[in-house]
Amino acid sequence: MAVIKSLLIRLEVETAAKKRICHRNRKTHSVIAGETCLVTIDDMGGKKNYCKICYAEMLNKAQNDLDGIKTRLGTTGTSQS
Ligand SMILES: [Zn+2]
């Protein structure tokens, strides 16, 4: 069986070893040492960090977007083997 291509960009969950700046709001958001952050990795290997406020919103939006697509395609999206 062919490998299923992921539609999502590369995501990693990392624990900050030192303070990181949140890419979505560089002025007021940050990830302090020891906190979890969501890291997106582009095709060139460039990484962007997002704090817990932002990644919660981003994941919810992604979930909603996927649910919308599933509804339009008429699939419930439950995994079938
Ligand atoms: Zn943020």
Side-chain angles (χ1 to χ4, degrees):
M1 185 179 142
V3 173
I4 296 175
K5 183 183 188 310
S6 176
L7 293 169
L8 300 175
I9 59 169
R10 259 182 82 196
L11 300 173
E12 297 285 346
V13 175
E14 294 183 2
T15 302
K18 59 187 173 79
K19 185 180 174 183
R20 299 185 189 188
I21 302 298
C22 173
H23 189 77
R24 183 158 168 253
N25 193 333
R26 291 164 171 274
K27 286 184 179 156
T28 58
H29 289 189
S30 59
V31 181
I32 61 169
E35 268 188 343
T36 327
C37 59
L38 182 68
V39 182
T40 63
I41 304 163
D42 65 29
D43 290 343
M44 304 296 285
K47 292 185 171 185
K48 290 174 181 153
N49 302 291
Y50 295 92
C51 75
K52 60 186 171 190
I53 298 167
C54 294
Y55 70 61
E57 291 176 12
M58 291 162 71
L59 291 171
N60 283 338
K61 184 183 184 319
Q63 188 76 62
N64 288 339
D65 289 351
L66 287 174
D67 287 347
I69 293 289
K70 285 180 193 170
T71 301
R72 290 172 66 191
L73 291 171
T75 174
T76 57
T78 51
S79 61
Q80 297 155 1
S81 51

